[in-house]
């Protein structure tokens, strides 16, 4: 492709990018307006402080259980990796 082809290609891409930026800006504006309208129309939740504290407590219990489960899984995974390494080392020593 000659110089003229490169210049034409660059100009075409610039024009496409300008159009895409314009569409993107319009879409962003529409989304912003939609979010503002939802914010104005949404009612406040009817949750008592006792219900909220119970939700927080249950969330903390679930997070603690997930951390314990993840820790156990990590230990088992590392144990299996270590066992495979030891078996490979023993196999290498038997071959040599």
């Amino acid at each position: 492709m000659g110089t003229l082809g490169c210049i034409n290609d660059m100009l075409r891409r610039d024009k496409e990018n300008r159009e895409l930026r314009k569409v993107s800006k319009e879409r962003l504006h529409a989304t912003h307006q939609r979010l503002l309208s939802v914010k104005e129309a949404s009612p406040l939740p009817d949750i008592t402080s006792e219900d909220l504290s119970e939700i927080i407590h249950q969330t903390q219990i679930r997070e603690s259980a997930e951390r314990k489960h993840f820790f156990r899984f990590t230990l088992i995974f590392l144990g299996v990796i270590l066992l495979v390494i030891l078996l490979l080392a023993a196999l290498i020593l038997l071959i040599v």
Side-chain angles (χ1 to χ4, degrees):
M1 180 183 297
T3 306
L4 186 58
C6 292
I7 293 172
N8 285 335
D9 186 47
M10 182 181 66
L11 291 174
R12 181 187 51 82
R13 282 186 280 125
D14 282 345
K15 182 180 178 183
E16 289 173 357
N17 287 337
R18 268 193 308 270
E19 293 169 358
L20 288 174
R21 281 194 305 268
K22 183 178 179 183
V23 170
S24 178
K25 187 176 180 180
E26 291 171 355
R27 189 171 44 233
L28 179 64
H29 181 70
T31 302
H32 183 257
Q33 293 300 323
R34 183 177 49 83
L35 288 175
L36 287 178
S37 68
V38 168
K39 181 181 176 184
E40 294 168 356
S42 64
L44 293 175
D46 295 331
I47 298 177
T48 63
S49 62
E50 292 83 18
D51 291 340
L52 187 59
S53 64
E54 181 64 27
I55 291 171
I56 291 171
H57 179 67
Q58 292 295 329
T59 304
Q60 289 172 346
I61 290 172
R62 187 173 45 238
E63 286 175 350
S64 175
E66 288 175 358
R67 279 193 300 270
K68 287 178 185 177
H69 179 73
F70 180 74
F71 181 71
R72 287 181 193 151
F73 175 77
T74 304
L75 286 179
I76 291 171
F77 181 75
L78 290 176
V80 169
I81 296 292
L82 183 62
L83 183 65
V84 168
I85 290 173
L86 288 175
L87 288 174
L88 287 175
L91 183 65
I92 291 172
L93 288 177
L94 286 176
I95 293 174
V96 174

